[in-house]
Amino acid sequence: MELAVILLFVLSIAVVSTLWGRIEKRRAANPTSEAGTSSGADGSAGARPATARPARPARQAPAGAGTSPQAAKEAASLLTAEQHRQIYAALGQGQPVKALKLYAMFTGSGIRASGAAITNMAAHPQPYVRPAADPGTPAAPDAAKPGSAQPDAAKADAANPGAGAESEAVREEEISKWAQQLRPEDFLKP
């Protein structure tokens, strides 16, 4: 007799849990149902509409969220050919933080603006487009012609071939100092 009572108790628990599971499944499938609300004799007193609760709180995207090819084009237009190559090389190597640091250093923009630019440039790769010359300014001398003027940096590199590695080390040191000052809050979207 004691065994039968124990079996009936276990069976009743199984039935109740099965029914409860079905009720919860129906609530999840139909969040607008008014199950569980109290109503008066006319159906209006004390009734409140059931509201669906999301599994986790929905987070609103910032006003300028998302990426666009136009934003990527504008971000890439601020870079020179060498800067463009360095940033896309960092992105291609899977180093978005390095690309962000380089972009901020090259353009002088802040962390958030640089992050948005790098996100756009990574989502919509842009080829380097040489800026169009203003019609009112004379054309620059052609570098392929003999006797043409070289930029000061090119003259310095030609005179001192070891200076390139030295300037690269200085640049890496500046980036390192800049990176040590970063905080996690700098990477949060507005």
Side-chain angles (χ1 to χ4, degrees):
M1 186 66 156
E2 291 176 18
L3 183 61
V5 171
I6 294 173
L7 287 177
L8 285 175
F9 184 69
V10 169
L11 182 61
S12 66
I13 291 175
V15 169
V16 168
S17 66
T18 303
L19 291 175
W20 186 261
R22 286 186 180 182
I23 291 170
E24 289 297 319
K25 207 180 272 187
R26 284 184 187 164
R27 280 188 189 168
N30 189 9
T32 60
S33 71
E34 294 187 20
T37 60
S38 61
S39 61
D42 63 349
S44 63
R48 66 180 174 125
T51 57
R53 279 194 217 169
R56 62 180 109 127
R59 206 173 142 186
Q60 296 294 327
T67 60
S68 70
Q70 182 63 28
K73 188 174 186 178
E74 290 171 6
S77 69
L78 300 174
L79 303 170
T80 65
E82 180 61 24
Q83 293 168 347
H84 188 272
R85 185 195 63 74
Q86 287 180 7
I87 287 176
Y88 273 107
L91 287 172
Q93 294 169 357
Q95 299 174 341
V97 175
K98 180 179 179 184
L100 183 136
K101 291 175 193 174
L102 289 171
Y103 188 87
M105 186 176 72
F106 294 149
T107 62
S109 57
I111 298 288
R112 290 183 181 173
S114 298
I118 292 299
T119 301
N120 282 313
M121 290 173 67
H124 305 283
Q126 299 292 315
Y128 176 72
V129 178
R130 184 173 300 166
D134 292 334
T137 60
D142 191 8
K145 293 181 182 177
S148 65
Q150 291 183 351
D152 293 337
K155 289 179 183 177
D157 287 343
N160 188 2
E166 199 172 297
S167 67
E168 181 68 27
V170 170
R171 187 178 317 153
E172 284 292 323
E173 183 178 319
E174 288 176 3
I175 292 172
S176 178
K177 286 179 185 176
W178 182 77
Q180 290 172 354
Q181 297 173 357
L182 292 176
R183 301 172 309 204
E185 299 87 40
D186 294 335
F187 293 97
L188 297 176
K189 292 186 178 183

